[in-house]
Amino acid sequence: MTHVPPKPSLISLLAALVLCLGAGPASAQVSRTLSTPGPTAQAQRVYNLLTDLENNSRNGGTKQTILGQHCEAQKEAYAGEYWVKVGDISGRRPGFVEFDFGPGNYHATYAEPYVDYAVGFARDRFIYGEGIVGFSFHQSYPGASVKSWENTFRQSWMDSNWFGRVINWQANTAEYQALLRDLSFAADKLAYLQQQGVPVLFRPFHEMNKKGSASPFWWANQDPAQYKQLWIIAHDYLVKTRGLKNLVFVWSPYEWDGTYGGDPWNYYPGNDRVDVVAVDIYHGNPYFPAQFYTGLAGYNKPRMVAETDKLPVRWGDSRYGTVSELDARPWAIYSVWGDSLVYNLGTTSPNDWNVSSSYKAIKDTYGYYSSYWRVLTGGSNATYNWGALR
């Protein structure tokens, strides 16, 4: 049965009731059981870390967050450029790095050199004990003759039954076969990483609740039941058909502010198909996304900011006041998207919050130490022993 969390207002009422009764604000323990039966030892250890961080944040333990950085290998001078840039600015590296298997390079296949470079970079970070890794997949619509960013979106020619044909495994439609061909590309890379002993946070079909005016992906703003079937098909193909045991599945809706993203709850594929619940945030007030953190609590999974354009900590100066999202809401992982580390999204103008005052937000975030390291960073001088996860 699909689990639908209570609305934030109801969660708040329940939390208030618990406090009145004298108990802790959130006593539920997040289970260490992955959606993949018989996971690799490395995948289980990574998930144990994420669940420990989540449980600590709920139950009064040491509050720490893994800082992450998405890297756009198809746009970088070299794979991992932004991961390295964080270190050049702050002196420390992200503890989580995410790449993408798509969107392609205007060819008939996803097989591009930058993908292999990304896989190699991710492999090395984990094997060298420098952090944990993930992959998203900006997948072109099944059957697209050219793999490109433009083809990740809904197309004007798609009729009302097109998406249904994509998920029609019973009839083995041409669209369904094309879907599996695309997934097989990702599966081959994930299988290689499994052979190398590398677990992967895999984040497919994200922002499924993005509204039509915001250029939704081909899988977005579809019938929720059909979207869940798409997720199940992908999960079963990767886990059952391909036998992958190194995956931690991340479900990542868009900010459900009512303007850019709608209510995501009906799109949740189920606790037996999801391991981490996340949100992508680019509008409104990204520093204190209370409704997203609270809204995801009911799933009892580790919570993650999968994409955003602002660093979470900035001690006040003449330009901005003091902000610490990691004190207010210690997400298990907080990951910044690509070149928005230094530029406003989709532009080459400076991202003032992150770069002003000599990159103050980046330095304050990565250097956050009180009586212990609040931020788990990676690289050769990490604030966490990532080698213990290998």
Side-chain angles (χ1 to χ4, degrees):
M1 177 179 296
T2 298
H3 171 72
V4 178
K7 299 292 185 183
S9 59
L10 179 56
I11 290 176
S12 300
L13 291 172
L14 291 174
L17 177 60
V18 170
L19 287 171
C20 290
L21 294 174
S27 58
Q29 288 292 305
V30 174
S31 170
R32 288 182 165 189
T33 302
L34 278 160
S35 65
T36 299
T40 64
Q42 296 91 342
Q44 187 64 65
R45 284 193 285 267
V46 166
Y47 195 58
N48 289 351
L49 170 61
L50 299 181
T51 57
D52 286 348
L53 294 174
E54 178 66 29
N55 283 324
N56 286 344
S57 73
R58 293 174 181 240
N59 303 312
T62 301
K63 293 177 171 56
Q64 295 175 301
T65 295
I66 301 169
L67 254 292
Q69 179 65 46
H70 183 89
C71 289
E72 301 169 274
Q74 79 277 13
K75 294 170 60 177
E76 296 177 317
Y78 55 90
E81 178 184 4
Y82 302 134
W83 185 89
V84 172
K85 191 171 186 64
V86 168
D88 292 343
I89 293 169
S90 71
R92 295 191 179 275
R93 311 291 189 193
F96 169 73
V97 62
E98 182 188 66
F99 287 98
D100 199 306
F101 291 126
N105 199 24
Y106 299 92
H107 295 157
T109 174
Y110 294 104
E112 298 292 340
Y114 70 77
V115 176
D116 289 331
Y117 297 148
V119 170
F121 188 93
R123 174 202 61 207
D124 290 349
R125 300 290 69 73
F126 188 80
I127 289 177
Y128 296 160
E130 294 187 340
I132 59 175
V133 304
F135 275 86
S136 57
F137 193 5
H138 282 82
Q139 182 178 340
S140 293
Y141 65 84
S145 59
V146 171
K147 311 306 181 187
S148 68
W149 173 248
E150 293 81 359
N151 283 340
T152 63
F153 299 113
R154 300 274 285 274
Q155 306 292 308
S156 60
W157 54 262
M158 292 177 178
D159 61 66
S160 59
N161 296 319
W162 176 83
F163 193 73
R165 294 194 296 274
V166 170
I167 61 172
N168 193 348
W169 58 271
Q170 298 96 329
N172 196 28
T173 61
E175 292 85 352
Y176 171 74
Q177 293 174 27
L179 171 67
L180 294 191
R181 284 195 298 272
D182 287 348
L183 289 174
S184 71
F185 176 81
D188 290 345
K189 304 302 180 184
L190 294 168
Y192 167 77
L193 289 168
Q194 177 170 277
Q195 293 166 3
Q196 299 297 307
V198 179
V200 177
L201 275 69
F202 185 52
R203 190 168 64 94
F205 308 131
H206 63 305
E207 300 181 7
M208 75 302 299
N209 61 321
K210 203 169 186 179
K211 289 195 170 182
S213 61
S215 300
F217 299 118
W218 60 262
W219 58 81
N221 203 22
Q222 299 283 2
D223 174 74
Q226 291 189 327
Y227 171 83
K228 288 186 285 189
Q229 184 61 45
L230 173 68
W231 185 284
I232 290 169
I233 287 170
H235 191 285
D236 285 358
Y237 173 75
L238 295 170
V239 172
K240 296 180 180 179
T241 303
R242 297 299 301 268
L244 296 174
K245 304 293 185 182
N246 63 328
L247 303 182
V248 176
F249 285 85
V250 181
W251 178 72
S252 179
Y254 204 65
E255 56 195 66
W256 49 96
D257 61 346
T259 300
Y260 300 96
D263 189 327
W265 314 123
N266 290 334
Y267 291 97
Y268 186 63
N271 283 341
D272 60 340
R273 309 283 179 164
V274 173
D275 302 304
V276 173
V277 290
V279 61
D280 295 359
I281 309 171
Y282 289 106
H283 301 91
N285 186 345
Y287 320 124
F288 291 103
Q291 73 178 105
F292 310 127
Y293 190 76
T294 304
L296 293 171
Y299 290 117
N300 284 331
K301 302 281 186 179
R303 286 170 287 183
M304 173 183 183
V305 174
E307 296 182 25
T308 192
D309 58 346
K310 303 291 193 299
L311 270 292
V313 174
R314 200 181 202 283
W315 310 130
D317 60 7
S318 60
R319 299 285 303 281
Y320 298 100
T322 291
V323 169
S324 178
E325 172 62 19
L326 303 188
D327 286 304
R329 280 158 291 278
W331 301 81
I333 303 176
Y334 188 106
S335 190
V336 173
W337 176 263
D339 59 1
S340 68
L341 176 73
V342 291
Y343 300 118
N344 287 323
L345 191 66
T347 76
T348 55
S349 62
N351 183 342
D352 192 60
W353 172 264
N354 292 343
V355 307
S356 68
S357 302
S358 299
Y359 303 100
K360 182 172 179 55
I362 299 173
K363 293 176 181 178
D364 286 351
T365 296
Y366 276 88
Y368 186 12
Y369 181 91
S370 51
S371 57
Y372 59 91
W373 281 106
R374 294 300 305 272
V375 170
L376 301 186
T377 64
S380 58
N381 62 338
T383 60
Y384 179 80
N385 180 20
W386 303 104
L389 304 177
R390 289 179 296 182

